């Protein structure tokens, strides 16, 4: 269920209490009644989802990289639940079937990273990598190495906090992996993720080649991008068969199972207002101070190449904590090619030549990522045909 402006009840009171505790809601008259003995907030049945609460929800969504609509739906509620946890308020351990998640886990990951034990992304999920880091920390400190974060482990971690200050280890690890893999595209493993198919309300796009739905268009572009990458020696996997509709977490699991180097997701956006237009690219980044450095770099390379070679409006790159970006273990980007409701975007996206330009731009963006500091080509100048010829010659 979703909660929005005008709603009232105990659930609204709980939302108000969480946001007030974060300092995002200052008018807390309708948050609830404080219980004197425990200090906990008792939810009031008359709490109202008013304009102040809507503004606080919007601010929270923007900070967490969520869709900013002022409505507390499942994704926002899950993020609010995560935000309610502070390190030390509960024991943390690895539950394989249902990993714990919350801001307390993110605090733990950040601290272990500063001490050199954790090199993953600060995603707030207590999974296998976090468990291994905790176990290694406990072992080095002479504690019981069971991977459970309880009082003794927290006390030891706290003593180190005044002695060390670290940096973003995960970014250094990401960059080192790319550097050691070399500049050639041959042998790279990339998962391509065509956007959702089987929409209940498909949008039909008229092109010189015929009429396509938005899902069919994305599938066709993805297939052709796969073929183009194969020419350059890339090993390509698709996140789904054409007829299947996996969830975003399932797509992330598929990419992880392939042990891919990168994941690129292609989508089209929709909006009731047909004025909305342009291309945007998203990478993992959140308000917890963590982001995928290479995901951000890749999104920038692809975005700039497409904008420089097409007429699509530049809606820039943005960090988001969407499941597809957060749950993949490799740098991932979600590319929104345009708006399916905008005639201008559809005119460009329906043109076969423009589609080929977009496909080539994505390949160039990937190549730039692996060139690292050796990339001397101005944006929009790298010839894809020359790039593929070079890659093929190096393989022969």
């Amino acid at each position: 269920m979703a909660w929005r402006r005008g709603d009232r009840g105990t659930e609204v009171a709980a939302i108000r209490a969480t946001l007030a505790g974060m300092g995002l809601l200052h008018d807390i008259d309708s948050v609830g009644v404080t219980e004197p003995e425990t200090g906990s907030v008792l939810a009031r049945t008359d709490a109202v989802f008013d304009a102040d609460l809507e503004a606080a929800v919007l601010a929270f969504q923007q900070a967490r990289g969520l869709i900013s609509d002022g409505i507390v739906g499942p994704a926002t509620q899950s993020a609010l639940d995560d935000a309610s946890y502070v390190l030390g308020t509960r024991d943390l351990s690895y539950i394989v079937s249902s990993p714990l998640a919350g801001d307390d886990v993110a605090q733990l990951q950040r601290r272990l990273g500063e001490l050199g034990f954790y090199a993953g992304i600060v995603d707030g999920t207590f999974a296998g990598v976090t468990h291994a880091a905790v176990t290694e920390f406990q072992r080095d400190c002479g504690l019981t190495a069971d991977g459970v974060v309880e009082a003794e482990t927290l006390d030891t971690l706290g003593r180190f906090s005044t002695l060390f200050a670290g940096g973003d280890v995960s970014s250094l690890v990401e960059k080192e992996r790319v550097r050691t893999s070399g500049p050639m595209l041959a042998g790279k493993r990339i998962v391509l993720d065509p956007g959702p198919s089987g929409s209940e309300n498909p949008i039909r796009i008229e092109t010189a080649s015929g009429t396509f739905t938005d899902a069919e268009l994305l599938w066709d572009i993805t297939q052709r991008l796969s073929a183009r990458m194969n020419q350059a020696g890339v090993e390509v996997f698709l996140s789904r068969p054409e007829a299947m509709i996996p969830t975003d977490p399932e797509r992330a699991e598929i990419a992880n199972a392939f042990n891919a180097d990168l994941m690129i997701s292609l989508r089209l956006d929709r909006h009731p207002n047909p004025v909305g237009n342009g291309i945007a690219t998203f990478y993992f980044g959140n308000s917890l101070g963590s982001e995928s450095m290479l995901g951000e770099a890749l999104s920038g390379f692809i975005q700039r190449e497409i904008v420089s070679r097409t007429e699509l409006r530049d809606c820039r790159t943005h960090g988001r904590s969407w499941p597809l970006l957060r749950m993949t273990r490799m740098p991932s980007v979600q590319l929104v090619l345009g708006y399916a409701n905008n005639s201008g975007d559809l005119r460009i996206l329906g043109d076969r030549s423009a589609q080929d330009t977009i496909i080539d731009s994505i390949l160039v963006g990937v190549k730039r990522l692996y060139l690292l500091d050796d990339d001397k080509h101005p944006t929009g100048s790298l010839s894809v045909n020359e790039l593929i010829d070079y890659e093929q010659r190096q393989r022969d």
Side-chain angles (χ1 to χ4, degrees), residues 280-320:
T281 312
F282 301 88
Y283 58 92
F284 174 75
N286 60 26
S287 62
L288 302 175
S290 179
E291 65 181 18
S292 169
M293 181 188 72
L294 292 186
E296 181 180 13
L298 179 60
S299 68
F301 289 139
I302 293 176
Q303 179 77 13
R304 289 190 293 272
E305 287 294 333
I306 294 178
V307 169
S308 70
R309 298 170 189 247
T310 70
E311 299 176 12
L312 289 166
R313 178 173 174 244
D314 186 5
C315 294
R316 304 185 184 280
T317 64
H318 309 273
R320 292 291 185 268

Side-chain angles (χ1 to χ4, degrees), residues 300-309 360-361 364-365 367-368 371-384 386-387:
F301 289 139
I302 293 176
Q303 179 77 13
R304 289 190 293 272
E305 287 294 333
I306 294 178
V307 169
S308 70
R309 298 170 189 247
D360 287 352
S361 298
V364 169
K367 179 63 175 180
R368 287 189 183 280
L371 286 173
L372 292 174
D373 298 332
D374 293 329
D375 186 5
K376 310 300 183 184
H377 302 83
T379 298
S381 67
L382 189 57
S383 166
V384 178
E386 291 179 4
L387 184 159

Side-chain angles (χ1 to χ4, degrees), residues 38 68 186 314-315 324 346 348 356 369 388:
T38 64
S68 300
D314 186 5
C315 294
L324 186 70
L346 293 185
I348 298 171
D356 288 337
L369 180 71
I388 290 176

Side-chain angles (χ1 to χ4, degrees), residues 20 185 192 235 318-319 351:
L185 293 178
L192 297 180
E235 189 176 2
H318 309 273
D351 180 76

Side-chain angles (χ1 to χ4, degrees), residues 189 191 237-239 253-260:
R189 300 163 64 89
V191 170
F237 305 89
L238 297 185
S239 66
E253 288 180 10
I254 290 169
N256 292 336
F258 283 132
N259 194 27

Side-chain angles (χ1 to χ4, degrees), residues 185-186 190 192 220-236 238 309 353 355-364 366-367 382-389 391-392 395:
L185 293 178
I190 297 179
L192 297 180
D220 180 61
I221 291 175
T222 303
Q223 291 279 65
R224 285 155 54 205
L225 174 59
S226 174
R228 199 67 158 143
M229 286 185 164
N230 286 154
Q231 287 182 295
V234 176
E235 189 176 2
V236 178
L238 297 185
R309 298 170 189 247
S353 176
Q355 295 170 14
D356 288 337
T357 299
I358 291 171
I359 289 168
D360 287 352
S361 298
I362 295 172
L363 182 57
V364 169
V366 172
K367 179 63 175 180
L382 189 57
S383 166
V384 178
N385 289 330
E386 291 179 4
L387 184 159
I388 290 176
D389 288 344
E391 293 279 341
Q392 291 176 340
R395 296 202 308 272

Side-chain angles (χ1 to χ4, degrees), residues 52-102:
D52 289 337
L53 181 55
E54 183 179 60
V57 170
L58 283 167
F60 175 79
Q61 290 172 326
Q62 290 169 355
R64 295 280 164 151
L66 300 167
I67 295 175
S68 300
D69 55 9
I71 300 172
V72 181
T76 300
Q77 185 61 63
S78 177
L80 284 169
D81 292 341
D82 288 350
S84 66
Y85 294 110
V86 177
L87 187 61
T89 57
R90 60 174 176 169
D91 289 351
L92 299 174
S93 61
Y94 182 28
I95 304 174
V96 178
S97 60
S98 182
L100 296 176

